[in-house]
Amino acid sequence: MQYVLISSCLLGNPVRYDGRGVPHDDAVLVRWRAEGRVVSVCPEVAGGMPIPRPPAEIEPGKRAADVLDNGARVVAVTGDDVTVPFVQGGQAALALAEQRGIRIAVLKEGSPSCGSGYVYDGHFAGKRQPGVGVTAALLTRAGVQVFSEKQWSDAEACLLRLEAEDGA
């Protein structure tokens, strides 16, 4: 059976920066949970960040790839450099994926860790920009297919394709 890595906050766990969860009840997720496929992770907590914690964003004009290549930082709204826990959390998520043979992840959109389509621009003004978070970038580099919580059917189609290939 193929497991799926899921952002812990999407499962309703209160691990987000603001101490909340954002539970989803999409039929795909409900089925995956019933089948025992779900592996929960919060990269920021895995990297040692507290709950709650100040919001953080990747530096303006930079990307997650720059963070991973030591060319940019993740900064909290307080001005604190939180790059290390963000990278360590991404590495923990990747290690979990590798341990379980996970090739698909559904992560929280917009997060500086988990975003897969957009992140915020680094000015803490609520402005979105195309991009990915640190964990999403790390997983993608390792060959894991990353989807957002708005792409459950796409993730399910990918899972079915992978399982068909495995069974062939």
Side-chain angles (χ1 to χ4, degrees), residues 1 4 10 13-15 25-26 32 42 54 64 76-77 85 91 98 108 115-116 131 134 138 157 159 161:
M1 175 173 47
V4 182
L10 297 178
N13 298 316
V15 294
D25 62 356
D26 188 276
W32 286 350
C42 175
V77 70
Q91 291 167 338
E98 289 172 342
K108 179 68 184 105
S116 61
V134 174
L138 199 56
L159 177 71
R161 203 168 40 252

Side-chain angles (χ1 to χ4, degrees), residues 41-48 83-95 113 134-135 138:
V41 68
C42 175
E44 294 172 26
V45 172
T83 305
V84 169
F86 271 76
V87 171
Q88 288 176 342
Q91 291 167 338
L94 178 57
S113 288
V134 174
T135 297
L138 199 56

Side-chain angles (χ1 to χ4, degrees), residues 10-150:
L10 297 178
L11 302 172
N13 298 316
V15 294
R16 285 173 37 101
Y17 73 93
D18 58 7
R20 296 183 309 119
V22 284
H24 279 255
D25 62 356
D26 188 276
V28 171
L29 178 58
V30 170
R31 186 170 48 259
W32 286 350
R33 288 179 99 163
E35 293 169 353
R37 294 181 184 274
V38 171
V39 176
S40 173
V41 68
C42 175
E44 294 172 26
V45 172
M49 300 290 292
I51 305 167
R53 57 192 166 274
E57 297 182 7
I58 296 169
E59 288 183 290
K62 301 292 185 173
R63 302 172 309 127
D66 300 322
V67 173
L68 293 173
D69 296 336
N70 298 313
R73 301 176 307 147
V74 181
V75 180
V77 70
T78 59
D80 293 329
D81 183 339
V82 292
T83 305
V84 169
F86 271 76
V87 171
Q88 288 176 342
Q91 291 167 338
L94 178 57
L96 186 57
E98 289 172 342
Q99 284 173 342
R100 298 306 251 335
I102 293 172
R103 298 186 291 172
I104 297 173
V106 179
L107 304 178
K108 179 68 184 105
E109 188 62 273
S111 159
S113 288
C114 296
S116 61
Y118 73 85
V119 292
Y120 291 90
D121 71 358
H123 294 288
F124 297 97
K127 185 176 179 203
R128 297 175 181 179
Q129 66 181 18
V132 300
V134 174
T135 297
L138 199 56
L139 290 170
T140 300
R141 281 185 179 182
V144 176
Q145 299 286 318
V146 178
F147 299 90
S148 82
E149 75 274 17
K150 300 183 187 318

